[in-house]
Amino acid sequence: MENKFLDLIMLANGLQVVRKVETSKEIHKIESVPLDKKNETTREELKKSLVEESQKLKQWEESFEKWSSSNAKKMAKLVLDESKAEAKMTSYSSKRERVREEIARLEIEQDGLAKKIVELEREKNMLTDTRHMIETQTEKKLFQQKTEKAKILDNIQKIGIELSSAQDAKEINDESDTDKADIIAKRTQQIATEIEEKERDLECPVCFEICSPPIYMCHLSHQICKQCCPKVKVCPQCRQPYRRHMQRHKVKEKTSNQLNILYKNMRELLEKD
């Protein structure tokens, strides 16, 4: 485009030179024509016309020179801007290619991370299932241990009560009536204290009555009586929801049995009194 514009300017300059030469030749021809009276007027008019045309030509040349100079500057600026735009386009194209490569790399990395997440999720689920299984087994084992301990304590307490009763009976038989009354009173007070402690231990947190077998519990071993259990859905102490199949509280049931033995011993002592 720039070359065509330069060719146009050169063509215009050549045309100016040709016209100047032709004008000079015409003037020379006119001046060389023999003068006569008939043609004098015509020559003067032609000269005048020639001068006017020469002035027009000069004005055209000046205007054309201004126009060509202005257009040359515009063309130079356009060529420079075009070069800058092309350089930017090349830079942006390179940057876009790098971005595409980075996106492809990140997509590959994303796929790898997605696979790792799936594997870790599977591993986590397996570990969670294992933990739940161990918790269930531990809870069952703990309950069995507590039940076994309660049985042992129950047997110990039974033996202790029987031994104490036997000892009291021996002492009563050996002592006088006054001493017997004191021993019975002392033993009655002792049994009453034990009864009060066990009744407090067996108190239902809903109705505040003494629980008797079957006694149920939440998974944290908080007891609830058989009358209140169907009426509530959460434990009144820890606020944890009850499971579908309620567990029996074997420890508290053993305590209830011990309480019944104490009731029996108390009646026997009162009858002797």
Side-chain angles (χ1 to χ4, degrees):
M1 185 175 181
E2 183 181 4
N3 292 334
K4 289 183 180 180
F5 183 73
L6 293 175
D7 291 341
L8 181 63
I9 295 175
M10 291 177 66
L11 179 62
N13 291 335
L15 182 62
Q16 292 178 14
V17 173
V18 171
R19 287 186 176 180
K20 285 181 180 180
V21 173
E22 290 180 351
T23 303
S24 299
K25 288 181 179 181
E26 291 294 333
I27 294 173
H28 181 70
K29 286 181 180 180
I30 292 171
E31 289 178 353
S32 63
V33 175
L35 296 176
D36 55 17
K37 292 181 179 180
K38 290 182 179 181
N39 295 330
E40 185 68 24
T41 303
T42 303
R43 286 185 63 192
E44 292 296 330
E45 291 177 355
L46 291 172
K47 284 183 178 181
K48 185 177 179 180
S49 298
L50 183 61
V51 170
E52 290 176 356
E53 293 298 323
S54 298
Q55 290 177 351
K56 289 180 180 180
L57 177 62
K58 186 176 181 182
Q59 292 175 355
W60 179 88
E61 289 173 350
E62 291 176 353
S63 175
F64 181 80
E65 185 176 357
K66 290 180 181 180
W67 173 82
S68 62
S69 177
S70 175
N71 274 9
K73 292 180 180 179
K74 291 180 179 179
M75 287 298 297
K77 186 177 183 304
L78 289 173
V79 170
L80 180 61
D81 292 342
E82 183 182 6
S83 299
K84 291 181 179 179
E86 185 175 1
K88 287 183 179 180
M89 185 177 67
T90 303
S91 175
Y92 289 155
S93 297
S94 300
K95 186 180 293 185
R96 182 181 62 179
E97 190 63 28
R98 291 195 298 271
V99 170
R100 285 178 177 174
E101 293 175 357
E102 183 66 15
I103 290 173
R105 185 188 67 79
L106 290 174
E107 287 178 349
I108 294 173
E109 185 177 354
Q110 182 185 16
D111 293 339
L113 291 174
K115 291 179 180 179
K116 288 183 179 179
I117 289 173
V118 171
E119 293 175 357
L120 290 173
E121 184 69 21
R122 190 182 300 113
E123 182 180 354
K124 173 183 171 293
N125 292 336
M126 292 176 61
L127 292 172
T128 301
D129 293 340
T130 303
R131 178 174 60 83
H132 288 163
M133 182 181 65
I134 293 174
E135 285 177 350
T136 303
Q137 292 175 351
T138 302
E139 186 175 350
K140 289 181 179 179
K141 185 67 175 178
L142 183 61
F143 181 74
Q144 291 174 358
Q145 294 291 334
K146 287 182 177 180
T147 302
E148 186 177 352
K149 180 181 178 182
K151 288 180 180 179
I152 295 172
L153 292 174
D154 184 47
N155 292 333
I156 292 173
Q157 191 161 7
K158 282 181 179 179
I159 295 172
I161 292 173
E162 292 176 358
L163 182 61
S164 178
S165 298
Q167 184 66 27
D168 291 342
K170 183 178 180 302
E171 291 177 356
I172 290 172
N173 292 330
D174 293 341
E175 296 293 336
S176 63
D177 293 338
T178 304
D179 294 334
K180 287 180 181 180
D182 292 339
I183 292 172
I184 291 174
K186 182 178 179 182
R187 180 59 183 158
T188 301
Q189 182 63 36
Q190 182 182 356
I191 294 176
T193 302
E194 293 179 8
I195 288 174
E196 184 179 356
E197 291 177 355
K198 292 190 181 300
E199 285 180 343
R200 189 165 47 248
D201 187 40
L202 290 171
E203 188 178 79
C204 175
V206 179
C207 65
F208 302 106
E209 296 293 334
I210 306 303
C211 295
S212 60
I215 303 173
Y216 299 101
M217 68 176 183
C218 69
H219 68 282
L220 295 179
S221 300
H222 296 136
Q223 79 262 16
I224 185 170
C225 72
K226 58 188 175 183
Q227 288 81 13
C228 296
C229 183
K231 301 177 183 178
V232 294
K233 295 182 178 180
V234 296
C235 176
Q237 291 181 270
C238 64
R239 311 305 298 172
Q240 294 296 318
Y242 285 130
R243 295 177 179 176
R244 183 175 181 182
H245 300 289
M246 294 291 291
Q247 287 185 334
R248 298 275 294 273
H249 203 318
K250 298 298 183 181
V251 175
K252 297 297 182 179
E253 289 181 356
K254 292 296 180 182
T255 303
S256 178
N257 293 334
Q258 294 169 5
L259 179 61
N260 291 330
I261 293 173
L262 291 173
Y263 286 150
K264 180 181 176 182
N265 293 337
M266 177 66 78
R267 285 194 298 269
E268 292 177 353
L269 284 176
L270 292 177
E271 289 173 359
K272 289 181 181 181
D273 190 22

